Each structure stands twice: as C-alpha cells, then as structure tokens.
Amino acid sequence: MDITILGIESSCDDTSAAVLHNNILLSNCIASQAVHIKYGGVIPELASRAHQQNIIPVVDTALKEAGKTLDDIDAIAFTRGPGLVGSLLVGVSFTKGLSIAGNIPMVEVNHLQGHILSHFIDLPDRKLPHPDFPFLCLLVSGGHTQIVKVSSPLEFEIVGTTIDDAAGEAFDKCAKVMGLPYPGGPVIDKLAQEGNPKAFNFAHPHVDGYDYSFSGLKTSFLYTLRDAVKEDPDFVEKNKADLCASLQHTIVEILIKNLRRAAKDLGIRDIATGGGVSANSGLRNGLVEAGKKYGWRVFLPEFKFTTDNAAMIAMAGYFRYRNGEFSSLDVSPVARLEEMQH
C-alpha cells in the first residue's frame, strides 16, 4: 500500500513541513527564526508568533515542491511534544484545521522518536543506509541526551539519559561564557578544528549505569576560565581554539564511553545517532573511530536531518499510520517527554 504523509514540525524555533511517499522524501521545507540570536537563546513567545506567520507558506511550499495537493495526502503527521508549548500549539492547531478541512486523519509523533527514525528516510535519487533492529541510538539534541534501544519502529526503550544538563546545553552555556554567539555548538565545533583537544583537562562525571551528567563538566570549565582570567584578562581570547577543542573532546569522550558500555552489555553492534548535536564533527569522527575499534556499524544522519525538520516527523508518522495509530481532535500538545504516551 502506497502512503503519502504530510509532516509538520513546530517544537522549537524552526517551522517545517515535508511530504513523504512511503519512505521516500519528496520535499522538506524549513523556515528558521533569526530573531533569537540577539537574545542568546530561544524566546518562547517570539517563537510561537513566528510559527503563526510561517506555517501556511511553509506547508504550501512543501506541497508544491512535492507536486502534491491535499487530495493526495493520506495523513498529517505532527509533533505533539516534547517542546515549547506555544510553538507546539501552533502546529497542533494548524494540523487540526487542515484535518477537518480536508477530512485527513492525524498522526501524533514524539519529536525525539522522529530524530531516531530519520535513519529510515530515502531520497528520490538514492537509498540511504538504514540500521537493522535492534539498534542503539545516541540521541543528542539541545535539551536531551539519551541512549535509546530501538527494537522496532514502534518500540523504544531509554536505557540511559542525562540527569542534569544535556550535551547541547553544555556546549551552548560554555560558549556563552566565552562570549561566542548563539547557538554555541556550531561555533565551538568550528573553532575546535584549530585547537589542541588535550590542552585542558575538564571533569569527567562518575554516574552509575548508562546515564549522563554534564553539570560537573560545565562547572569545571567555568572554574578554569575564572581562575585563568584573574591572572590574564585576555586568557579566553588567546586560548579560544584550545578551549573549544578540549571542551568538545571531553563531551565526545563522555558520550561514547557510556554508549560503548551499553552496546557491549546489550550485545548490539548497529549504532546510530540523531539530534542537533549529531552534526558535530568531533562526535561524528569519534563515532566512526569507535565503530572501527569496537566492530560497530555506525549510522550518521544526513546533515539536513540533524536539525528539527518535518521529514523525520513524516517518517515516524508513516510507521504509526501503518499500525493504525491515529489522533483525535481533542489531542493537546505536551511540553515534557514524560507526558508523551509513547
């Protein structure tokens, strides 16, 4: 059975719409919001207003680029959560209106599961590598760091998670202290290419199981800067590249250490990653090297699927559609992961 899904994503500050025919991506349109840069972080009220302005033209463009109309759409997949409630509300409300107008069923999607299932998208001109089930996914987005065991497109088990800051938050907060622009992760990644990853030693956490902690690393980084700046006010400027390289190296080491333990204990060799931080070159290179060392098959997402995008929402919606999992019109957005039903 051929299925055409319209995906809608509005969990944070990117408005996105995509059209998927089975698992083949026909279009993926994203409107980003530059307004947040001067504030050093996403302002929820500004984000929701921008979604209201962007969502109609973005959906219209996605349909046109795919060569489809609403009559061709079998279901609308939308992000229910987690995310910013105001931003999610725009996407959920728009989906409801479109569903009623076109008599099209709705499928709710867990945003984080969308990142994981982006590995099953194919492009019109080429088939991308897909992991086999079960596989482990290191999910590293702005506010989440998790190791997820994926037994099927509908079966997910979080085996490790952060107990405080996420990896993306550690990047952004440390970048802010150094006076780098927001978002800090990509800037640190770029500067790290020019630095020595072993120039500075930062704290490694000691956490039981496969869970993560980045608060100690962040504190260690802040203390290093505080003490050094007392001696030399220009310390950060002189050592910016080395600081970025050392910070990135430490975060990647922490991420891969627990991932390796989980893979070994669970006997899983297919390893994937997803989320915004999965675009980080240090992490991507580290996973490739770990794959060679430990005999893993490593799956890295295309760069266009690392950020928040509707293609991954449509992909997750496709699997739920096939399983007959539809949403009713009384569905509401949820901010926290714990509130998601699946």
Side-chain angles (χ1 to χ4, degrees):
M1 176 176 65
D2 285 340
I3 302 169
T4 302
I5 302 286
L6 169 65
I8 294 176
E9 154 63 19
S10 67
S11 65
C12 190
D13 62 335
D14 288 330
T15 313
S16 182
V19 177
L20 207 69
H21 181 69
N22 295 329
N23 72 320
I24 299 174
L25 183 63
L26 303 183
S27 66
N28 188 29
C29 302
I30 302 174
S32 299
Q33 302 175 5
V35 66
H36 306 286
I37 293 176
K38 64 180 179 180
Y39 297 106
V42 176
I43 307 300
E45 179 63 25
L46 296 180
S48 58
R49 290 180 184 180
H51 283 303
Q52 289 178 314
Q53 295 174 340
N54 293 335
I55 195 162
I56 291 177
V58 165
V59 170
D60 183 59
T61 301
L63 287 169
K64 287 178 178 176
E65 288 189 1
K68 302 291 183 181
T69 68
L70 283 181
D71 291 336
D72 301 312
I73 301 301
D74 294 300
I76 308 169
F78 65 96
T79 303
R80 186 185 176 203
L84 302 175
V85 171
S87 295
L88 290 165
L89 188 59
V90 175
V92 173
S93 299
F94 182 84
T95 300
K96 289 181 181 180
L98 207 57
S99 173
I100 294 170
N103 194 28
I104 307 170
M106 306 187 307
V107 182
E108 66 182 71
V109 171
N110 178 324
H111 174 84
L112 301 179
Q113 292 177 5
H115 276 299
I116 295 170
L117 294 175
S118 67
H119 285 280
F120 295 91
I121 298 172
D122 281 334
L123 303 177
D125 59 342
R126 61 193 169 101
K127 190 177 176 70
L128 299 176
H130 304 163
D132 291 333
F133 298 105
F135 67 92
L136 287 181
C137 184
L138 175 64
L139 186 59
V140 272
S141 66
H144 297 87
T145 298
Q146 300 175 340
I147 300 174
V148 183
K149 179 183 177 183
V150 188
S151 298
S152 80
L154 301 173
E155 295 177 273
F156 304 85
E157 179 188 357
I158 298 173
V159 297
T161 189
T162 181
I163 61 174
D164 43 55
D165 286 349
E169 290 172 321
F171 274 122
D172 286 341
K173 290 176 180 178
C174 292
K176 190 171 184 177
V177 171
M178 287 189 286
L180 301 178
Y182 174 86
V187 181
I188 287 177
D189 191 12
K190 184 177 180 180
L191 287 169
Q193 314 304 315
E194 307 165 9
N196 175 9
K198 298 188 178 179
F200 298 96
N201 293 317
F202 300 121
H204 282 63
H206 297 283
V207 182
D208 292 336
Y210 312 125
D211 287 341
Y212 289 108
S213 170
F214 291 96
S215 63
L217 164 65
K218 183 185 67 177
T219 302
S220 172
F221 185 86
L222 296 179
Y223 282 167
T224 298
L225 262 60
R226 184 197 64 180
D227 295 341
V229 169
K230 287 180 180 178
E231 301 293 329
D232 180 2
D234 297 324
F235 172 81
V236 173
E237 191 60 37
K238 292 176 181 177
N239 296 277
K240 196 172 287 183
D242 285 348
L243 286 166
C244 290
S246 299
L247 175 67
Q248 180 165 288
H249 178 73
T250 303
I251 291 176
V252 171
E253 275 192 334
I254 293 169
L255 289 170
I256 293 180
K257 178 182 177 182
N258 282 16
L259 181 62
R260 181 201 171 190
R261 290 174 56 212
K264 182 179 179 181
D265 292 347
L266 297 173
I268 295 177
R269 292 187 176 275
D270 274 20
I271 308 295
T273 187
V277 183
S278 67
N280 180 277
S281 65
L283 178 58
R284 294 172 81 92
N285 293 337
L287 286 170
V288 170
E289 289 304 311
K292 294 176 182 176
K293 186 174 181 180
Y294 305 125
W296 297 344
R297 288 204 311 161
V298 173
F299 298 85
L300 304 175
E302 298 259 315
F303 283 105
K304 59 188 165 187
F305 300 141
T306 58
T307 57
D308 294 345
N309 66 90
M312 68 185 194
I313 303 303
M315 188 72 257
Y318 165 80
F319 289 119
R320 299 206 174 279
Y321 179 96
R322 289 200 319 182
N323 200 48
E325 297 185 17
F326 301 107
S327 297
S328 63
L329 288 171
D330 62 0
V331 66
S332 59
V334 294
R336 299 192 305 166
L337 180 63
E338 294 79 10
E339 300 174 73
M340 296 295 294
Q341 294 179 347
H342 44 247

